[in-house]
């Protein structure tokens, strides 16, 4: 679609990377300061101890903390002109908190409130692409945190009827001079019905267990590229967001060195779920105007990281997308009943092999009848929903820590694969179905890795699909003949329009197809 949307799409794609990098920084810093920082570290019944625990935890997380003034007003500790900041090679942030109030309630608990408006500055300095600056203001109303418990077992609860984030982002090069080629973006995010509950247990090893929910998130986004003469606006939202997490943090761990943190016993698991979500984007450029609409019914994301490995898994349901572009004669739409993925890998150097895996499952994929009509106007091909499934597991041995930047950038292989198993594979489209399984071990004792094992494949409806493509004029006869010859070389008939194939990798280094040596 990039070639159909003129100059805007490449710039949007580039700028999207900058925005995502900024939001990662925002998530790591602002969320910690605004949510965790004002609550998670508060562990005692006095305001003074509460503040000490907070600032100590912020510093242990790699933040710098400064306080303009600190004074007592009766049962309340008042801190003014606080600055929380953090800098990394990829960027940094700073948050200016005009006032923080910690009120001792007289029942062993402390109420924490912050100024209703907190300005922040975030910058991203990626290794590739221009640096980006973002100015953000967080606004809240009636937000408060109640901290209770003991220094050994802390509990706290957050209520925030509304949280608003408003900001501007632009290429740093364009911030100081007009016409420098930057693409400024404005955004507004409103979160309503926010609640959280957390416990923090332990001194030498902190165990943090919490949950945060939001009834609704609404956002608007707009940008303009004066040089290209393009603009875009977007509006959308998400319902019923829920975040849960558990973190184990040993005392004194340096979160700037993830390899060392994992070796010290740091671990974290979490889950994100949300309901209906969607957005509408309108864009224009020299070629005209366009529109993108997207919606989904629900989604989940699970993650975990520890010395035992890193894993991500997600699933979305009911996805629908419709695209209208100035160079397209009609809107193009597609839908997907389910999109799921799972990824797992080792992160720590160990003497024994560790598990890894990758699973992709896109099912119930359909496209609009108008799009079908472009290449199959007489409906010769089945319109059945398509599916792509790939499920791979295996064993690998790391010779360097994955989060060791020096080792990863050395150019040497970080490890070796010892075994790969194709648990399942399926591609079902236009009436043809290709499936397979396999199991291969890898001998790494020689100069080059040598696989030993087999992959079993099965194709149903392949010849029928070739016949229809030829009849439609989409596949020339000579190319169809070549395809059939290739199928005959690698596969054998095993039923009506069914072909099977066994590809073997033998210990002698040979590759065989159904017993016939290919290499």
């Amino acid at each position: 679609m990039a070639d159909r949307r003129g100059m805007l799409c490449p710039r949007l794609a580039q700028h999207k990377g900058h925005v995502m990098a900024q939001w990662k920084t925002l998530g790591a810093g602002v969320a910690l300061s605004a949510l965790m920082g004002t609550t998670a570290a508060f562990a005692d019944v006095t305001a003074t101890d509460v503040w000490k625990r907070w600032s100590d935890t912020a510093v242990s997380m790699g933040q710098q903390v400064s306080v303009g003034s600190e004074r007592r007003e009766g049962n309340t500790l008042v801190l003014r002109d606080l600055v929380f900041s953090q800098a990394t090679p990829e960027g940094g942030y700073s948050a200016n908190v005009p006032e923080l109030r910690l009120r001792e309630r007289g029942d062993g608990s402390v109420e924490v409130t912050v100024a209703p408006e907190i300005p922040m500055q975030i910058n991203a300095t990626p290794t590739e692409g221009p640096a980006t600056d973002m100015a953000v203001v967080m606004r809240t109303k009636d937000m408060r945190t109640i901290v209770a418990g003991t220094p050994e077992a802390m509990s706290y609860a957050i209520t925030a009827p509304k949280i608003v984030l408003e900001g501007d982002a632009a290429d740093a090069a364009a911030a100081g001079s007009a016409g420098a080629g930057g693409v400024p973006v404005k955004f507004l995010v409103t979160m309503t019905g926010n609640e959280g509950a957390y416990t923090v247990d332990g001194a030498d090893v902190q165990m943090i267990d919490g949950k945060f929910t939001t009834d609704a998130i609404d956002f608007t986004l707009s940008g303009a590229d004066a040089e290209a003469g393009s603009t875009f606006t977007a509006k959308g939202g998400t319902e019923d967001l829920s975040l849960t997490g558990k973190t184990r943090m040993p005392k004194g761990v340096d979160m700037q060195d993830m390899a060392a943190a994992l070796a010290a016993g740091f671990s974290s698991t979490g889950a994100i779920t949300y309901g209906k979500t969607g957005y509408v984007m309108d864009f224009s450029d020299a070629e005209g105007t366009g529109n993108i609409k997207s919606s989904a019914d629900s989604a989940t994301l699970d993650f975990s990281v520890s010395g035992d490995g890193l894993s991500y898994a997600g699933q979305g349901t009911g996805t629908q997308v419709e695209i209208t572009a100035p160079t397209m004669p009609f809107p193009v739409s597609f839908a997907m009943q389910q999109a799921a993925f799972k990824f797992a890998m080792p992160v720590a150097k160990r003497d024994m092999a560790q598990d890894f895996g990758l699973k992709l499952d896109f099912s119930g994929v359909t496209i609009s009848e108008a799009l079908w009509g472009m290449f199959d106007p007489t409906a010769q091909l089945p319109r059945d929903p398509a599916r792509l499934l790939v499920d791979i597991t295996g064993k690998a041995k790391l010779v360097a820590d994955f989060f060791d930047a020096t080792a990863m950038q050395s150019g040497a292989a970080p490890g070796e694969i010892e075994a790969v198993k194709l648990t399942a594979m399926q591609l079902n489209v236009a009436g043809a179905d290709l499936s397979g399984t396999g199991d291969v071990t890898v001998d790494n004792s020689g100069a080059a890795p040598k696989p030993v094992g087999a992959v079993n494949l099965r194709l149903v409806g392949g010849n029928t699909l070739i016949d229809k493509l030829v009849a439609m004029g989409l596949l020339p006869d000579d190319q169809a003949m070549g395809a059939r010859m290739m199928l005959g070389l690698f596969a054998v008939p095993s039923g009506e329009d069914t072909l099977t194939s066994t590809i073997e990798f033998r210990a002698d280094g040979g590759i065989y197809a159904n017993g016939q040596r290919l290499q």
Side-chain angles (χ1 to χ4, degrees), residues 355-512:
D355 293 332
F356 72 86
L358 173 66
K359 181 177 182 180
L360 301 173
D361 189 357
F362 304 102
S363 59
V365 181
T366 58
I367 60 176
S368 61
E369 189 62 32
L371 191 56
W372 272 113
M374 290 184 63
F375 56 87
D376 184 21
T378 59
Q380 295 191 49
L381 297 176
R383 297 331 199 218
D384 299 334
R387 186 187 189 190
L388 171 63
L389 168 66
V390 178
D391 189 357
I392 299 172
T393 59
K395 294 280 189 179
K397 181 188 294 184
L398 289 187
V399 298
D401 290 328
F402 178 75
F403 290 106
D404 185 339
T406 301
M408 290 296 106
Q409 295 173 3
S410 66
E416 55 188 27
I417 295 176
E418 294 192 355
V420 179
K421 183 175 183 179
L422 180 62
T423 303
M425 184 271 288
Q426 182 180 24
L427 175 60
N428 190 319
V429 62
D433 185 273
L434 174 65
S435 59
T437 59
D439 200 346
V440 175
T441 60
V442 181
D443 181 0
N444 295 289
S445 61
K450 183 171 64 176
V452 178
V455 177
N456 301 298
L457 302 173
R458 183 171 184 264
L459 175 63
V460 179
N463 280 309
T464 299
L465 177 58
I466 292 175
D467 291 340
K468 290 183 177 181
L469 292 176
V470 171
M472 295 164 58
L474 297 177
L475 184 66
D477 287 330
D478 58 340
Q479 294 183 18
M481 182 179 297
R484 295 186 200 277
M485 291 177 63
M486 290 294 293
L487 289 174
L489 178 64
F490 289 98
V492 295
S494 61
E496 184 178 354
D497 200 3
T498 300
L499 300 172
T500 60
S501 179
T502 299
I503 308 299
E504 295 179 89
F505 305 90
R506 297 185 182 177
D508 61 3
I511 301 177
Y512 297 77

Side-chain angles (χ1 to χ4, degrees), residues 217-417:
I217 301 176
D218 298 294
F219 75 88
T220 59
L221 189 68
S222 64
D225 187 340
E227 183 178 341
S230 58
T231 64
F232 77 93
T233 60
K235 182 179 181 179
T238 298
E239 299 177 0
D240 302 324
L241 176 72
S242 175
L243 300 90
T244 59
K246 293 183 179 181
T247 298
R248 182 182 190 274
M249 185 178 296
K251 184 178 180 179
V253 67
D254 180 7
M255 294 307 300
Q256 300 298 308
D257 186 348
M258 182 57 73
L262 293 174
F266 172 82
S267 65
S268 183
T269 62
I272 302 172
T273 66
Y274 56 86
K276 289 186 177 296
T277 185
Y279 70 88
V280 176
M281 176 183 288
D282 297 303
F283 59 88
S284 65
D285 54 26
E287 296 182 344
T289 61
N291 176 274
I292 301 175
K293 298 178 181 178
S294 177
S295 64
D297 291 338
S298 64
T300 63
L301 175 66
D302 300 283
F303 70 89
S304 68
V305 60
S306 70
D308 293 329
L310 170 71
S311 70
Y312 284 94
Q315 176 178 299
T317 63
T319 300
Q320 297 186 55
V321 178
E322 181 177 310
I323 303 172
T324 302
T327 56
M328 297 169 55
F330 49 78
V332 173
S333 63
F334 67 89
M336 195 175 338
Q337 291 180 356
Q338 176 179 280
F341 75 92
K342 185 175 182 179
F343 171 75
M345 62 171 286
V347 296
K349 177 178 66 175
R350 290 183 179 174
D351 293 334
M352 74 288 290
Q354 303 175 68
D355 293 332
F356 72 86
L358 173 66
K359 181 177 182 180
L360 301 173
D361 189 357
F362 304 102
S363 59
V365 181
T366 58
I367 60 176
S368 61
E369 189 62 32
L371 191 56
W372 272 113
M374 290 184 63
F375 56 87
D376 184 21
T378 59
Q380 295 191 49
L381 297 176
R383 297 331 199 218
D384 299 334
R387 186 187 189 190
L388 171 63
L389 168 66
V390 178
D391 189 357
I392 299 172
T393 59
K395 294 280 189 179
K397 181 188 294 184
L398 289 187
V399 298
D401 290 328
F402 178 75
F403 290 106
D404 185 339
T406 301
M408 290 296 106
Q409 295 173 3
S410 66
E416 55 188 27
I417 295 176

